[in-house]
């Protein structure tokens, strides 16, 4: 709840856009399964942010939405290295 409150109420639009840019930039070189997990976690914080991040780092938003319904444990299993 705290991250969502900070993002939604503690940041203005410009700060949210910078935050999105910083998060997206930090995902360069990260394994696809970890990027997917990160998108899911941010989706759970704020769906719009999760959608924007998925688009920015080229992760399928439909897959992110599907995985956002899982528990963390099931998310890890669903995105485990194969």
């Amino acid at each position: 709840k705290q991250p969502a409150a900070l993002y939604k109420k503690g940041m203005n639009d410009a700060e949210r856009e910078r935050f999105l840019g910083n998060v997206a930039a930090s995902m360069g070189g990260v394994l696809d399964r970890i990027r997917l997990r990160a998108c899911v976690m941010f989706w759970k914080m704020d769906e719009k942010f999760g959608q924007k991040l998925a688009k920015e780092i080229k992760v399928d938003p439909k897959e992110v939405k599907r995985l956002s319904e899982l528990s963390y444990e099931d998310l890890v299993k669903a995105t485990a290295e194969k």
Side-chain angles (χ1 to χ4, degrees), residues 32 35-36 39 53-62 64:
D32 289 344
R35 293 174 352 144
L36 185 56
C39 284
L53 180 61
K55 183 179 177 183
E56 187 74 25
I57 65 172
K58 297 174 179 48
V59 170
D60 182 5
K62 289 179 183 177
V64 174

Side-chain angles (χ1 to χ4, degrees), residues 61-80:
K62 289 179 183 177
E63 181 68 357
V64 174
K65 182 176 182 177
R66 183 185 75 78
L67 292 171
S68 73
E69 302 298 322
L70 302 177
S71 68
Y72 181 74
E73 293 78 15
D74 289 338
L75 171 64
V76 171
K77 288 177 188 175
T79 58

Side-chain angles (χ1 to χ4, degrees), residues 4-63:
L6 175 62
Y7 177 77
K8 293 174 184 177
K9 297 179 182 174
M11 293 182 181
N12 62 37
D13 289 343
E15 290 168 329
R16 283 190 284 273
E17 286 302 313
R18 278 194 304 276
F19 180 62
L20 174 65
N22 289 338
V23 172
S26 73
M27 293 289 165
V30 174
L31 295 172
D32 289 344
R33 65 190 175 91
I34 303 301
R35 293 174 352 144
L36 185 56
R37 287 180 195 172
C39 284
V40 169
M41 300 311 290
F42 280 112
W43 185 289
K44 288 182 176 189
M45 176 196 74
D46 183 83
E47 189 173 326
K48 286 182 185 178
F49 183 86
Q51 289 173 347
K52 288 180 181 181
L53 180 61
K55 183 179 177 183
E56 187 74 25
I57 65 172
K58 297 174 179 48
V59 170
D60 182 5
K62 289 179 183 177
E63 181 68 357

